[in-house]
Amino acid sequence: MSPFLDRCCGHGVASCRAVLLAVLCGLGAALPAAAQEAAATPDPAALPSVLLAEADRHFAAGNRLAGERRPAQAAERFRAALLRYEAAAAALGGGNGYLLYNIGNTYFRLGDIGRAILFYREAQQFIPADPNLQQSLRHARSLRRDRIEPTAAGGVVRLLFFWHFTMPLRARVAVLLAAWNLLWLLALLPALAAVSACARRLRERLRASRTWQHGRRPVVGAAVAVGAIAAVAMGGSVAAELLDSKTAAAVVVAPEVVARRGDGAAYEASFDGALHAGTELVVVERRNDWYQVTLADGRRAWLPAHAVAVVGEGAGARLR
């Protein structure tokens, strides 16, 4: 080969080597970067757990700072915890009672009594028997500015039908189903005993025994009575709530709001003084951006929708 071609080939090999080296260096730099990017991208399934862990850390730090009498720094940590709790609730669908309870606690620590009660009421739909939730809700209610006592008739009705006003709809439906199943089970026991020869012989022996005659029959009768009473009580309560589906429990979340005689700011006030955050009421009608509500003492008024949050809509819907 001529020296000219050798020089050309030599330059070509050198160029190829240079290009190959550049490509390898580029790949070497790109692969770690891609790995870092993949590692930095959180797993969607693990995101709620990460958010909850961060929220718990911020909440604990806020409590510590509050104990050290550093309210500004504590409020900053509580707000950071609230953002993460709400993001976790949105990722989980807003149906976790304990998470809603934590959100209520965070609002309480921020001094927002209205939204604290709202989220406690939201959590009550999922964990109605939780003692910590019940205690927190009672404490938050005790701090409200408005002391609206029910009328005498309303107090009697609430006392006689306490389960309708204190038990969430989910809990009443659960009790109704349990009582209904119990009644069916008790009704089917004689039929099952008649079908089975063994059960029939056992039944004859039990009938011959004074224990069955004087001990077991009253127990079965009492179980039937309890099941029937529970089924009627819970069934009537659930039916009443479903038939009156236009009404809904709600909480005032604005610091204060003037109740009006109509659905507009031009209407005069319904009564002296404003309503304040945390006041619980019942929405009976919705018109445009106004709610007609009933207070615990029976008074009716109109409130702007932005000042009121409906339990089951205001918290859970916002987080979904």
Side-chain angles (χ1 to χ4, degrees):
M1 187 177 293
S2 65
F4 176 75
L5 292 177
D6 288 340
R7 285 196 300 271
C8 289
C9 292
H11 288 308
V13 171
S15 299
C16 291
R17 288 176 178 173
V19 171
L20 182 59
L21 181 62
V23 170
L24 292 176
C25 290
L27 288 175
L31 288 175
Q36 291 176 1
E37 182 179 357
T41 303
D43 182 7
L47 182 59
S49 299
V50 173
L51 291 170
L52 287 174
E54 293 180 358
D56 289 340
R57 284 199 300 271
H58 283 292
F59 189 86
N63 281 333
R64 185 182 67 255
L65 291 168
E68 296 171 357
R69 300 187 182 278
R70 299 164 64 185
Q73 294 87 341
E76 183 178 353
R77 288 304 189 101
F78 286 133
R79 284 191 290 268
L82 181 62
L83 289 174
R84 287 159 176 80
Y85 279 137
E86 291 187 335
L92 294 172
N96 187 305
Y98 294 101
L99 181 51
L100 293 170
Y101 173 49
N102 285 341
I103 295 174
N105 285 336
T106 310
Y107 272 118
F108 183 84
R109 298 295 285 163
L110 286 169
D112 192 335
I113 298 298
R115 288 183 174 80
I117 292 177
L118 171 66
F119 276 91
Y120 289 154
R121 293 287 303 272
E122 288 278 348
Q124 203 174 35
Q125 298 180 97
F126 303 98
I127 50 172
D130 186 83
N132 294 324
L133 172 60
Q134 294 174 355
Q135 181 180 358
S136 298
L137 182 56
R138 284 195 300 268
H139 182 54
R141 284 170 170 166
S142 70
L143 300 177
R144 295 181 296 195
R145 290 184 59 180
D146 299 328
R147 305 292 180 180
I148 302 175
E149 299 296 334
T151 60
V156 172
V157 171
R158 284 179 171 272
L159 180 62
L160 292 177
F161 302 98
F162 64 91
W163 60 86
H164 182 75
F165 299 97
T166 58
M167 294 179 64
L169 180 60
R170 290 172 179 265
R172 281 176 276 154
V173 171
V175 174
L176 173 61
L177 293 176
W180 187 254
N181 289 332
L182 175 62
L183 289 175
W184 272 108
L185 178 61
L186 293 173
L188 289 174
L189 282 178
L192 292 175
V195 171
S196 172
C198 293
R200 188 161 48 244
R201 287 194 296 270
L202 177 60
R203 186 180 178 187
E204 291 172 357
R205 292 178 182 177
L206 290 175
R207 279 182 174 177
S209 172
R210 294 180 59 86
T211 303
W212 166 258
Q213 294 175 1
H214 301 287
R216 298 299 177 91
R217 283 183 178 177
V219 172
V220 174
V224 171
V226 170
I229 292 172
V232 171
M234 296 302 165
S237 176
V238 171
E241 185 153 336
L242 294 178
L243 290 174
D244 195 14
S245 59
K246 291 183 179 180
T247 63
V251 182
V252 174
V253 293
E256 67 175 27
V257 59
V258 176
R260 303 287 179 180
R261 293 185 180 273
D263 57 338
Y267 287 91
E268 63 182 26
S270 293
F271 40 79
D272 295 335
L275 296 176
H276 299 87
T279 299
E280 295 173 80
L281 33 82
V282 175
V283 174
V284 296
E285 184 179 350
R286 310 181 188 202
R287 188 182 301 170
N288 299 326
D289 293 329
W290 288 76
Y291 292 156
Q292 187 183 34
V293 302
T294 300
L295 304 180
D297 57 8
R299 290 179 294 173
R300 285 199 175 190
W302 288 86
L303 298 177
H306 67 79
V308 178
V310 176
V311 177
E313 296 179 8
R318 185 166 63 85
L319 295 176
R320 291 182 178 88

